[in-house]
């Protein structure tokens, strides 16, 4: 078996996730909030039932990294915990801003209604 499952995910990812979560003293729910997923997803990662995507793994790696360290090749120190999200810029095409806002809203539809995807799709489920 190769030592890499995919180009970005190490083979020991379940143990690393458990280790990072334990080192920070976080519950699965707290860790899930930091990564931006549900606690069920974190549980599945730790049990090896599913794998984090690139974005989630990048966030886990950021959490794993010590808060203050020097970036390689620079003399600049930064605090990884103080990373602020980019500010919203509404000076672009209003239709583009509306589309992004709507996409973000729809991304959380499953939390309100588990059948959200089926209801939004053009697929008519068979009556069972």
């Amino acid at each position: 078996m190769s030592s890499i499952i995919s180009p970005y995910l190490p083979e020991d990812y379940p143990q690393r996730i458990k280790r990072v979560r334990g080192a920070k003293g976080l519950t699965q729910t707290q860790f899930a909030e930091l990564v931006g997923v549900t606690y069920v997803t974190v549980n599945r990662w730790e049990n090896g039932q599913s794998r984090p995507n690139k974005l989630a793994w990048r966030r886990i790696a950021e959490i794993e990294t010590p808060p203050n360290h020097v970036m390689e090749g620079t003399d600049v120190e930064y605090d990884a915990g103080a990373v602020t999200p980019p500010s919203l810029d509404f000076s672009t095409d209003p239709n583009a801003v509306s589309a992004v806002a709507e996409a973000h809203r729809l991304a959380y539809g499953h939390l309100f209604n588990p059948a959200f995807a089926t209801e939004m799709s053009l697929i008519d489920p068979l009556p069972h």
Side-chain angles (χ1 to χ4, degrees):
M1 181 183 259
S2 70
S3 63
I4 301 282
I5 292 175
S6 68
Y8 68 92
L9 191 62
E11 189 173 284
D12 67 339
Y13 73 90
Q15 293 81 20
R16 284 184 63 181
I17 292 171
K18 284 181 190 177
R19 190 171 46 243
V20 169
R21 188 172 62 79
K24 299 292 183 181
L26 301 171
T27 65
Q28 287 183 340
T29 303
Q30 293 168 330
F31 187 77
E33 288 175 9
L34 284 175
V35 178
V37 296
T38 65
Y39 78 93
V40 175
T41 302
V42 172
N43 186 297
R44 289 179 181 157
W45 291 344
E46 289 184 358
N47 293 324
Q49 295 173 344
S50 66
R51 298 184 298 224
N53 62 21
K54 287 181 186 179
L55 181 62
W57 186 251
R58 187 177 310 132
R59 183 66 184 123
I60 292 166
E62 289 172 2
I63 294 168
E64 183 179 28
T65 305
N68 290 318
H69 69 281
V70 178
M71 294 171 41
E72 290 182 28
T74 68
D75 294 331
V76 179
E77 289 190 17
Y78 74 99
D79 182 2
V83 175
T84 57
S87 62
L88 295 175
D89 180 16
F90 293 101
S91 64
T92 188
D93 176 28
N95 291 327
V97 172
S98 176
V100 169
E102 182 68 4
H104 186 72
R105 183 183 72 84
L106 291 175
Y108 293 100
H110 69 282
L111 297 174
F112 175 72
N113 180 358
F116 183 72
T118 304
E119 292 175 3
M120 293 299 296
S121 68
L122 298 177
I123 300 171
D124 292 325
L126 295 174
H128 289 5

